[in-house]
Amino acid sequence: MKQNWKPGTLVYPVPAVLVTVGNDESEYNVLTIAWTGTICSDPAMCYISVRPERHSYPILKKNREFVINLTTEKMAYATDWCGVRSGKNFNKFKEMNLTLGKSHVVKAPYIKESPLCIECRVKEIIPLGTHDMFIAEVVNILADEQYINEKTGAFDLEKAKPLTYSHGKYYGLGEFIGKYGWSVQRKTK
Ligand SMILES: Cc1cc2nc3c(=O)[nH]c(=O)nc-3n(C[C@H](O)[C@H](O)[C@H](O)COP(=O)(O)O)c2cc1C
């Protein structure tokens, strides 16, 4: 039997990413975002949803650029901290020992400790209610070489131990179950 619940945000698990913003040092800031995802393959596009009261919001709105920095188990503490402290009161990069790098295309910086940094340029801002959705095109990816498989050239994100977020709690990835399409593959003896 299922119970009827009132509408709520229960699509979990999701990533908890660190989004970096700012055109120059005076603006640089980072905030944790769980409302994020891919929305188109070609052109590669993603979104973040941000509440207007965040310190990062006017910076994002003015510059229309940001970087999605994927997070790892090692970065879990910083990811939580950057999501409960505001850039209004803290230099979060300094407090959490996050190292900034100069992005390739956008002015917002990237976080060196992140395995994969996705440079984004905003195409549209849609006010939805509590959050505004920033729909963006991916304009460059910065992939940490230490996770690139030398033989295949593939990016081994599992090696970086990505962080996930579900119902208010952080987790690592679970056990490997199967790869894309394995459900219909012919079984070999
Ligand atoms: C796990 C986690 C996920 C979060 N996801 C979002 C989100 O998707 N959108 C948002 O506006 N705030 C989100 N927050 C809250 C902001 O990260 C938080 O308010 C932060 O302090 C804002 O920083 P700022 O004021 O420096 O911009 C999240 C916080 C945590 C801990």
Side-chain angles (χ1 to χ4, degrees), residues 73-90:
E73 289 181 23
K74 251 192 196 164
M75 296 166 75
Y77 185 90
T79 304
D80 187 60
W81 202 88
C82 291
V84 292
R85 290 287 178 266
S86 178
K88 229 178 281 173
N89 310 313
F90 293 96

Side-chain angles (χ1 to χ4, degrees), residues 89-105:
N89 310 313
F90 293 96
N91 178 334
K92 297 195 232 181
F93 303 109
K94 244 193 195 154
E95 296 286 339
M96 288 294 105
N97 288 318
L98 295 170
T99 326
L100 289 185
K102 193 177 169 345
S103 296
H104 189 62
V105 175

Side-chain angles (χ1 to χ4, degrees), residues 12-17 32-37 68 70-71 79 163-166:
Y12 283 122
V14 288
V17 299
T32 306
I33 292 285
W35 298 166
T36 182
I68 294 176
L70 300 194
T71 56
T79 304
L163 187 67
T164 70
Y165 181 68
S166 190

Side-chain angles (χ1 to χ4, degrees), residues 7 11-12 16-17 50 53 62 64 69 75-76 78 81 83-84 106-107 123 125-126 130 136 140-141 157 159 163 176:
V11 180
Y12 283 122
V17 299
V50 183
E53 50 268 38
K62 175 176 73 73
R64 298 177 74 90
N69 302 269
M75 296 166 75
W81 202 88
V84 292
V106 301
K107 285 194 177 143
K123 290 237 136 189
I125 304 172
I126 307 177
T130 53
N140 189 52
I141 310 265
L157 187 60
K159 257 196 184 167
L163 187 67
F176 174 76

Side-chain angles (χ1 to χ4, degrees), residues 29 32 34-35 49-51 54-56 83 85-87 92 170:
N29 192 35
T32 306
W35 298 166
S49 281
V50 183
R51 282 186 184 252
R54 309 293 184 230
H55 178 71
S56 309
R85 290 287 178 266
S86 178
K92 297 195 232 181
Y170 304 93

